[in-house]
């Protein structure tokens, strides 16, 4: 049944012809009659009752847009509708003739049923409400046990129901085809307004629909009780999209300085390593790892977002970046110390051999035991210092036929016949040289103490140079230089007799004197 209202306020109905099977299948529309006008005073309730065989049914028009219902008599048989208006009061003359014609044709058929029948009924999913005289929707979600299985939820709608996932949203289309079925007025068994109920003293008190689960809020919503009602709202961090509450992705708005982690209904800010959340829980501030027990073994330097480990002088940072290892400075160079390098934790030190002392930090200097009084020579001895030690020599070293004329000089008297073939004098001298000295090297200069007119002086090594380690280079008539010809290694001691021969050819004079030089070669190159 379809209808519309014209400019004059008249409601027009369209009448349909239905085919009904004897098996009780739903009716099928197969023909359309004409439009007919009914007065505005017609408020509905006009029904057409047609006695015919089980094969055909003519649809009726009515002026009130409402579903029809099926009325059944005793023992399940269909009976006449007591609320049906007379046939002629509803149909115009032309339609009345058409209906009578169908009745006559039906009466002529031998298969027609003789029982009276009424085809006004509520369609599937509706039931007749005798109080409101309307067909009202059946809520299958309440009447059918476990209407939806599993994780599906039951959604009731006009004339049926749907099983949908619990996350699905259903939006009612209030502008769809056809008007919605009329809602019967709420029944109040008590004098309280909706949302209230009487207490023991018959006073109306608010019903907490949220606590009694009488609300229809979605699982994603929160129920808030109100006086006489309730309200479904989205929790913090959610926004309503359609009927559902959807989580707000706060990370899209860049609330966090470094990293943002979205959570259901909220979010959390995280910082990169080396930072921590500030008081506002959004910005990140540098962490001073050095004050928080950084794993540096020796020194820690804080920097923006990280820290650096450093080592004390004499140490180097291990490849793990935290621990420190001692540097063996002595293994890097052999020139750090003049004699010996000794590695120590974080440093090194130079040591000198016995008889030497450390000069500054790396050089070794001979200790002059004779000058410092660190010797053990007696009063009859003379302390002679050399590189790395000293020697105690007798003060009188003169041997017959020589006699001592001073601390270091011996004279052979001319009156003594034994002195004729001997040098007239012997002077004792002492010197020290280092080992592995570069050559040739001038080591000692000889100087004549007396000069005679017309005399000629010649210098030579009289004894002690059997291996030819030294030679004499005469400088002039009165001086000569003792030269080291080959490198020598100590410790070693040479006693060289350096002779100066004085000759005068005019006077047929020849004389000699000896300088007995004791050369101490030290054990080291310093």
């Amino acid at each position: 049944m379809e209808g519309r209202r014209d400019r004059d306020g008249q409601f027009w109905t369209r009448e349909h012809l239905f085919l009904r099977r004897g098996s009780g299948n739903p009716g099928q529309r197969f023909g359309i009659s004409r439009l007919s006008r009914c007065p505005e005073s017609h408020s509905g309730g006009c029904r057409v009752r047609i006695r015919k065989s089980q094969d055909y049914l003519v649809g009726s028009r009515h002026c009130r847009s409402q579903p029809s219902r099926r009325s059944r008599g005793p023992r399940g048989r269909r009976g006449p509708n007591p609320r049906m208006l007379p046939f002629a009061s509803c149909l115009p003359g032309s339609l009345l003739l058409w209906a009578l014609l169908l009745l006559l044709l039906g009466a002529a058929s031998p298969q027609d049923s003789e029982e009276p029948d009424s085809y006004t009924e509520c369609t599937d999913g509706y039931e007749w409400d005798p109080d409101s005289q309307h067909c009202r929707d059946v809520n299958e979600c309440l009447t059918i046990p476990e209407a939806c299985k599993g994780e599906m939820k039951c959604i009731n709608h006009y004339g049926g129901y749907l099983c949908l996932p619990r996350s699905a949203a259903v939006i009612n289309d209030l502008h769809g085809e056809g008007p919605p079925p009329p809602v019967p007025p709420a029944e109040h068994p008590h004098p309280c307004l909706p949302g209230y109920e009487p207490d023991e003293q018959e006073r109306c008190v608010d019903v907490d629909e949220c606590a009694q689960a009488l609300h229809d809020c979605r699982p994603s919503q929160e129920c808030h009780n109100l006086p006489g009602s309730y309200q479904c709202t989205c929790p913090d961090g959610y926004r309503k999209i359609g009927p559902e509450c959807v989580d707000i992705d706060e990370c899209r708005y860049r609330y966090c300085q470094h990293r943002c982690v979205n959570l259901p209904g909220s979010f959390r800010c995280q910082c990169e390593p080396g930072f921590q959340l500030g008081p506002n829980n959004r910005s990140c501030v540098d962490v001073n790892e050095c004050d928080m027990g950084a794993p540096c073994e020796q020194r820690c330097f804080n920097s923006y977002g990280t820290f650096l480990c450093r080592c004390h002088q004499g140490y180097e940072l291990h490849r793990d970046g935290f621990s420190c290892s001692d540097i063996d400075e002595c293994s890097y160079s052999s020139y750090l110390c003049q004699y010996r390098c000794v590695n120590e934790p974080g440093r090194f030190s130079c040591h000198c051999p016995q008889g030497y002392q450390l000069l500054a930090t790396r050089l070794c200097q001979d200790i002059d035991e004779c000058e410092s009084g660190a010797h053990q020579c007696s009063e009859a001895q003379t302390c002679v210092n050399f590189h790395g030690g000293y020697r105690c020599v007798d003060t009188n070293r003169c041997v017959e036929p020589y006699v001592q004329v001073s601390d270091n000089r011996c004279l052979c008297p001319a009156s003594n016949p034994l002195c004729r073939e001997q040098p007239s004098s012997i002077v004792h001298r002492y010197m020290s040289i280092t080992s592995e000295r570069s050559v040739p090297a001038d080591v000692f200069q000889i100087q004549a103490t007396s000069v005679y007119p017309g005399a000629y002086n010649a210098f030579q090594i009289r004894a002690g140079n059997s291996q030819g380690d030294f030679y004499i280079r005469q400088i002039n008539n009165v001086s000569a230089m003792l030269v080291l010809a080959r490198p020598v290694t100590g410790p070693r001691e040479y006693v060289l007799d350096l002779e100066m021969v004085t000759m005068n050819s005019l006077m047929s004079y020849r004389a000699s004197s000896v300088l007995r030089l004791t050369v101490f070669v030290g054990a080291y190159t310093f």
Side-chain angles (χ1 to χ4, degrees):
M1 181 75 65
E2 299 176 357
R4 63 186 177 84
R5 193 179 302 274
D6 63 7
R7 296 180 179 177
D8 298 332
Q10 301 298 317
F11 191 89
W12 292 71
T13 61
R14 186 179 296 275
E15 300 158 343
H16 305 285
L17 187 62
F18 290 83
L19 172 64
R20 179 176 178 84
R21 301 296 183 186
S23 60
N25 293 332
Q28 300 177 353
R29 180 184 301 177
F30 80 97
I32 301 177
S33 68
R34 67 177 182 84
L35 287 172
S36 63
R37 181 184 299 271
C38 77
E40 188 70 32
S41 61
H42 259 283
S43 61
C46 177
R47 302 288 186 270
V48 175
R49 182 177 61 193
I50 301 175
R51 289 184 176 88
K52 198 178 181 299
S53 67
Q54 296 181 356
D55 295 331
Y56 297 98
L57 168 67
V58 177
S60 63
R61 68 172 173 83
H62 54 85
C63 300
R64 181 176 57 194
S65 178
Q66 67 178 18
S68 63
R69 72 174 184 91
R70 174 177 295 174
S71 174
R72 298 188 181 274
R75 295 185 301 276
R77 298 184 60 183
R78 296 184 179 94
N81 188 347
R83 295 179 177 82
M84 188 67 66
L85 297 180
F87 179 82
S89 67
C90 234
L91 298 178
S94 59
L95 185 57
L96 177 61
L97 293 176
W98 182 52
L100 291 175
L101 179 61
L102 290 177
L103 288 174
L104 292 175
L105 291 176
S109 175
Q111 289 85 8
D112 289 348
S113 174
E114 296 181 358
E115 295 182 3
D117 198 358
S118 175
Y119 294 95
T120 58
E121 62 179 359
C122 292
T123 57
D124 292 341
Y126 293 87
E127 62 182 359
W128 180 255
D129 184 6
D131 296 331
S132 62
Q133 294 293 304
H134 287 190
C135 286
R136 65 181 179 185
D137 175 61
V138 177
N139 190 345
E140 292 85 355
C141 295
L142 299 178
T143 59
I144 301 177
E146 298 184 0
C148 297
K149 304 293 184 180
E151 295 298 324
M152 309 295 282
K153 64 180 179 180
C154 180
I155 303 296
N156 185 59
H157 69 96
Y158 302 133
Y161 68 98
L162 297 174
C163 289
L164 299 177
R166 295 189 180 276
S167 60
V170 178
I171 301 176
N172 293 327
D173 186 8
L174 299 179
H175 305 285
E177 296 183 359
V183 179
E187 299 179 0
H188 302 290
H190 51 76
C192 296
L193 295 176
Y196 293 86
E197 62 181 0
D199 58 5
E200 296 178 354
Q201 288 77 25
E202 296 298 325
R203 293 177 301 181
C204 294
V205 295
D206 175 57
V207 177
D208 190 348
E209 294 87 354
C210 300
Q212 300 181 20
L214 300 178
H215 61 87
D216 59 353
C217 297
R218 300 298 177 94
S220 61
Q221 298 176 337
E222 293 179 348
C223 178
H224 297 277
N225 187 56
L226 300 175
S229 181
Y230 64 92
Q231 184 179 18
C232 298
T233 61
C234 293
D236 293 339
Y238 291 83
R239 62 181 176 182
K240 191 174 183 180
I241 300 180
E244 293 290 342
C245 293
V246 181
D247 174 55
I248 299 174
D249 187 2
E250 296 86 354
C251 296
R252 296 175 55 189
Y253 303 102
R254 298 184 179 180
Y255 289 143
C256 301
Q257 182 179 358
H258 284 182
R259 292 183 296 178
C260 178
V261 178
N262 188 52
L263 300 175
S266 181
F267 70 98
R268 181 176 67 249
C269 293
Q270 293 180 348
C271 296
E272 299 293 341
F275 295 87
Q276 64 182 3
L277 283 177
N280 58 3
N281 290 327
R282 293 186 180 184
S283 60
C284 295
V285 295
D286 176 56
V287 175
N288 191 344
E289 295 87 352
C290 299
D291 294 340
M292 300 177 64
C296 296
E297 182 177 351
Q298 292 185 358
R299 304 171 66 187
C300 178
F301 294 93
N302 184 60
S303 61
Y304 189 70
T306 183
F307 66 96
L308 297 174
C309 293
R310 291 292 181 263
C311 299
H312 298 304
Q313 185 176 0
Y315 293 87
E316 60 183 354
L317 193 65
H318 197 265
R319 62 181 58 185
D320 61 9
F322 306 117
S323 58
C324 296
S325 302
D326 175 60
I327 299 175
D328 187 0
E329 297 87 351
C330 299
S331 63
Y332 285 94
S333 175
S334 59
Y335 296 99
L336 291 177
C337 296
Q338 192 174 32
Y339 173 62
R340 179 180 298 167
C341 178
V342 179
N343 186 59
E344 298 176 3
R347 60 184 299 272
F348 71 96
S349 60
C350 294
H351 291 192
C352 295
Q354 185 176 3
Y356 293 84
Q357 62 184 359
L358 192 64
L359 178 63
T361 57
R362 56 179 299 270
L363 299 179
C364 291
Q365 183 182 41
D366 173 58
I367 299 174
D368 191 345
E369 294 89 352
C370 300
E371 183 178 353
S372 63
H375 61 86
Q376 295 180 356
C377 298
S378 63
E379 293 181 359
Q381 294 178 325
T382 301
C383 179
V384 178
N385 184 69
F386 59 86
H387 289 89
Y390 68 96
R391 177 75 56 84
C392 294
V393 296
D394 294 335
T395 302
N396 184 8
R397 300 191 64 182
C398 299
V399 181
E400 289 291 340
Y402 289 90
V403 295
Q404 183 178 8
V405 294
S406 63
D407 289 342
N408 57 357
R409 185 176 182 183
C410 298
L411 182 63
C412 190
S415 59
N416 191 339
L418 298 177
C419 294
R420 292 180 181 177
E421 299 297 331
Q422 300 294 331
S424 61
S425 65
I426 298 176
V427 178
H428 295 274
R429 291 288 187 268
Y430 305 93
M431 69 167 298
S432 176
I433 61 175
T434 60
S435 183
E436 301 295 332
R437 188 171 180 175
S438 59
V439 293
D442 297 342
V443 295
F444 191 81
Q445 184 176 1
I446 307 171
Q447 185 75 36
T449 58
S450 300
V451 179
Y452 299 98
Y456 174 74
N457 295 318
F459 298 90
Q460 64 180 4
I461 299 177
R462 179 185 178 97
N465 190 28
S466 60
Q467 296 181 357
D469 295 331
F470 299 90
Y471 68 89
I472 290 292
R473 185 182 78 247
Q474 189 164 342
I475 299 175
N476 49 42
N477 187 42
V478 296
S479 64
M481 182 65 69
L482 177 66
V483 179
L484 178 65
R486 295 187 302 182
V488 292
T489 303
R492 190 171 180 180
E493 182 178 340
Y494 291 91
V495 179
L496 302 176
D497 285 346
L498 306 180
E499 184 179 24
M500 181 182 70
V501 179
T502 303
M503 296 175 293
N504 191 331
S505 57
L506 295 178
M507 300 177 61
S508 299
Y509 175 78
R510 186 180 186 277
S512 68
S513 61
V514 171
L515 188 149
R516 184 162 291 172
L517 179 64
T518 301
V519 179
F520 298 99
V521 181
Y524 308 101
T525 59
F526 47 85

